Amino acid sequence: KNLPLFFQDGDWDEIRLDVDENVNPDIIGTLQDMSIIDDGAIDAIYSSHNIEHVWAFEVPQVVREFARVLKSDGFVVVLCPDIISVAQAVLQGYLNKPVYESPAGPITALDIIYGFHADLKQGRHYMAHKTAFTADSLTAVFLDNGFSGMRVARDQMFGLQGIATKQRMSQKNFDALASDLLP
């Protein structure tokens, strides 16, 4: 599984939502409209590299949908590109040169900014990146749209990893949760 070890302890049931029916999700749908999921029905959301696939003006709506479907003590783990790290790679001359190797092949800064060119070339235009985030902008959109706490860390692959909680937690409990899920 591609989920973090935290979610692989046997206590979690995975429900996969995706716009692409070819990846066999449990629910075919979009982040902007998860109305098929009841309010407060979900314990946690693991959102890996999909929030950048919606327009910037849609991001608050997506985050509100996350908040709506989560239980009151629920949380979101979100991974997305870090535009600051990518911009630094561009300044170092890596616009069209590989910055790392993924299972799908070499990834350039241009792929991170606009979406993986191989997917887009094959007509999977829903894989295009339509917005970008810094640690501060990602934190702000969650805190402005239904979440009480947020911590974001940079990873080693030009990405951000964040955890957002719906209700306030003690610093000790938040730190413990974040240490289990963030780099």
Side-chain angles (χ1 to χ4, degrees):
K1 287 192 174 190
N2 292 329
L3 293 172
L5 290 176
F6 180 88
F7 292 115
Q8 296 183 39
D9 65 3
D11 290 339
W12 299 91
D13 292 322
E14 180 181 10
I15 302 167
R16 294 178 53 245
L17 178 138
D18 203 298
V19 69
D20 182 1
E21 64 185 36
N22 294 318
V23 298
N24 300 315
D26 300 297
I27 300 169
I28 297 171
T30 68
L31 296 175
Q32 301 93 313
D33 179 11
M34 295 188 284
S35 59
I36 194 166
I37 302 171
D38 291 337
D39 294 1
I42 304 294
D43 292 304
I45 295 172
Y46 181 68
S47 173
S48 180
H49 290 277
N50 54 33
I51 199 165
E52 67 273 12
H53 295 274
V54 301
W55 296 111
F57 71 87
E58 295 174 308
V59 172
Q61 178 183 351
V62 168
V63 174
R64 286 191 300 272
E65 276 291 274
F66 287 169
R68 182 190 64 76
V69 302
L70 281 172
K71 293 180 178 176
S72 62
D73 62 348
F75 63 91
V76 173
V77 176
V78 60
L79 286 70
C80 64
D82 172 24
I83 196 64
I84 291 175
S85 297
V86 178
Q88 290 169 339
V90 170
L91 289 172
Q92 294 170 4
Y94 286 92
L95 182 67
N96 290 306
K97 295 183 211 170
V99 292
Y100 70 91
E101 190 73 29
S102 81
I107 302 296
T108 67
L110 202 58
D111 291 322
I112 300 170
I113 295 168
Y114 293 109
F116 187 47
H117 72 277
D119 284 335
L120 300 173
K121 187 176 180 179
Q122 292 179 7
R124 293 193 292 267
H125 298 153
Y126 53 84
M127 295 298 289
H129 293 181
K130 299 175 181 174
T131 192
F133 298 93
T134 66
D136 289 343
S137 70
L138 187 63
T139 298
V141 75
F142 274 83
L143 295 181
D144 290 345
N145 289 283
F147 289 84
S148 295
M150 179 86 178
R151 180 170 300 163
V152 178
R154 284 193 168 106
D155 66 24
Q156 298 298 314
M157 303 303 287
F158 301 90
L160 298 172
Q161 296 185 23
I163 181 165
T165 57
K166 274 189 70 171
Q167 65 183 353
R168 294 221 177 268
M169 300 174 83
S170 72
Q171 192 63 48
K172 180 181 176 182
N173 288 346
F174 190 81
D175 289 346
L177 183 62
S179 72
D180 285 339
L181 291 164
L182 298 180

